[in-house]
Amino acid sequence: MTAPGEAARRRPARRPTIKDIARRAGVSESAVSFALNDRPGVSDDTRARVRRVAEELGWQANSAARALSGERAGALGLVLARPARTLGVESFFLQLVSGIQEVLSARKIALLFQVVEDLDTECALYRRWWAERRVDGVLVVDPRTDDPRPELLATLGLPAVAIGGPPGPAPTDQEPDAAPPPPLPTVWADDARAMARVLDHLHGLGHRRIVHVAGLPDLAHTARRIRSLRTEAALRGLTERQVRSVTTDYSDAEGAEATRRILDDARPPTAIIYDNDVMAVAGASVAAERGIPVPAALSIVAWDDSALCRVTHPRLTALVRDTPGFGRLAAHELLTVLDGGPPRTVQGELPHLEARESTGPCG
C-alpha cells in the first residue's frame, strides 16, 4: 500500500518558470524577462535580485525558446556515419571527442553526438537540426571522395568545420597551391608525410613486399593514404606488385580476414601496415595462429597508436599523434567561425613513428 505523500514524492520535480521567479522576487513577469535577457527597462537592483532568485530556484533558459528568439542554441553537433559495430573498440573517436569536449566545456557549450548508419541519414539529420535550431554549427568527420555534405551545409547556412581534410590532396608547406581551397573550413592531417615516414622505416629495414590494410574505400583519407603509398613506393623504385593496398571496414574481423588472404598469397608480404590499431592487433593474432613470428618473418605497423599497441606482445610499431589535440583544434576553429572569424584551413601536428618490437629487418 502506498503511504500518504509517497506518490507526490515520486513525481518528477517541476522546472521553475519565469512566473515562479516573478512571484518570489516580487516583480512582474516582464521585468523578469528584461532582467534575465539583459535588456533595459529594469533597475540594477531589480536585475540583481531577479538573477539571484533565478539561481536559487535552479532556473535555466529554454534552448528552444532561445533559438526562436535568434539566440544561440548553445550546442554543436557531431554525426558519425559508420556501422556501429566498428566503433566498439576503436579509440580514435573517443580521443577526438574528449578533445572537442574539453574546449566546449570551458565555454559551457554542449556536444550533440549521434551515430547513424549512412551518409543519407546524416544529411537528413543536419536538415532536422537546422529546422529545429538544435545546434549552432557542426563538426564534419570522415570527408568523402564524393561528398554531398559541404554543399548541403552551405545551402542551409549551418556553420561547419571539416575534420580530416578536403577530398583532394592536402596542401603542403612546399606546395601551397597543390589543391584548391576546401569548401568548408578544415583541420587536416598530412597523411602523405605520415605514410612517407612509415615507408622510410620499413624500406630502411629491407622490406620490399608491403601491403597496406586500409579503411573504408569511400573516405577521402583512405584515398589519400593509398595514393601516398603508391607515390612513396614509386620514389623508392617499388612496383604496384610489390606494394599495394586492400580496403576494409576498419573492424577487427575484416582486418583479420584481410590478413589471412594476404598471407595466402604465393609471395606474401614481409610487412603489413594497418590503418588502425584494432586491425593491427587482429593481424598480429592471425600471424600468431599461423606460427609466423613477428617481426622475424613479418613486420607490423599500426597507423593509430593506443594502449592496445603498447600491451600487445610484441608491442606494435605505430604512428603516434595527439588525437585529443586534433579535437581541440577542430572545436576552436568552429567556435572561431561562430564568433565571426574567417574560415581557415589548419594543419594538425604531424605524427611521429614510434618504432617498437613488431618491426625488424627483413629476413
Side-chain angles (χ1 to χ4, degrees), residues 27-328:
V27 297
S28 67
E29 293 178 33
S30 59
V32 172
S33 179
F34 290 154
L36 295 178
N37 289 292
D38 204 22
R39 295 173 181 167
V42 294
S43 67
D44 290 343
D45 288 344
T46 298
R47 193 183 311 276
R49 184 167 75 255
V50 166
R51 289 181 173 176
R52 184 174 63 253
V53 168
E55 184 175 353
E56 291 171 354
L57 293 175
W59 179 86
Q60 294 289 334
N62 182 283
S63 60
R66 284 203 309 267
L68 289 173
S69 67
E71 297 182 43
R72 289 187 179 179
L76 300 182
L78 173 62
V79 184
L80 189 56
R82 285 197 186 183
R85 69 180 185 279
T86 67
L87 303 176
V89 292
E90 189 173 359
S91 63
F92 174 82
F93 282 105
L94 291 176
Q95 296 181 52
L96 184 76
V97 169
S98 73
I100 294 169
Q101 188 61 49
E102 183 180 338
V103 172
L104 300 190
S105 295
R107 292 274 296 264
K108 297 183 178 180
I109 296 173
L111 179 65
L112 189 56
F113 176 66
Q114 192 158 337
V115 178
V116 297
E117 284 296 317
D118 53 45
L119 205 57
D120 288 341
T121 308
E122 179 178 346
C123 290
L125 187 59
Y126 289 148
R127 294 187 186 94
R128 180 159 63 84
W129 280 354
W130 171 79
E132 296 174 356
R133 303 190 183 185
R134 295 286 300 279
V135 297
D136 299 311
V138 293
L139 294 160
V140 179
V141 296
D142 287 344
R144 264 62 172 183
T145 51
D146 185 15
D147 203 325
R149 294 173 297 177
E151 183 177 354
L152 170 64
L153 293 167
T155 300
L156 296 176
L158 186 60
V161 166
I163 300 176
T172 65
D173 294 336
Q174 291 74 27
E175 298 177 312
D177 299 323
L184 292 177
T186 300
V187 295
W188 65 283
D190 195 337
D191 290 315
R193 290 173 66 189
M195 184 63 81
R197 289 186 170 184
V198 173
L199 212 55
D200 272 341
H201 176 66
L202 294 175
H203 191 266
L205 291 171
H207 294 281
R208 300 297 181 266
R209 297 197 309 275
I210 302 168
V211 174
H212 168 217
V213 179
L216 294 162
D218 62 333
L219 299 184
H221 69 255
T222 299
R224 286 200 306 274
R225 292 176 190 178
I226 291 173
R227 185 168 56 246
S228 299
L229 179 71
R230 290 173 180 167
T231 300
E232 295 298 328
L235 291 173
R236 292 160 179 80
L238 304 177
T239 68
E240 292 187 14
R241 293 187 65 181
Q242 293 174 290
V243 179
R244 61 189 178 89
S245 299
V246 297
T247 57
T248 69
D249 68 355
Y250 280 114
S251 70
D252 56 333
E254 287 206 9
E257 181 57 32
T259 303
R260 294 186 186 99
R261 293 196 307 270
I262 290 165
L263 295 178
D264 284 339
D265 285 351
R267 286 176 56 82
T270 61
I272 304 178
I273 306 164
Y274 293 89
D275 255 7
N276 69 7
D277 52 347
V278 294
M279 291 198 298
V281 171
S285 296
V286 170
E289 290 170 3
R290 296 192 172 198
I292 300 173
V294 174
L298 179 67
S299 285
I300 290 177
V301 177
W303 191 272
D304 289 324
D305 187 33
S306 73
L308 281 176
C309 298
R310 298 188 292 273
V311 301
T312 300
H313 180 73
R315 296 186 308 152
L316 300 183
T317 294
L319 280 170
V320 179
R321 56 179 167 180
D322 182 9
T323 303
F326 202 50
R328 290 192 294 271

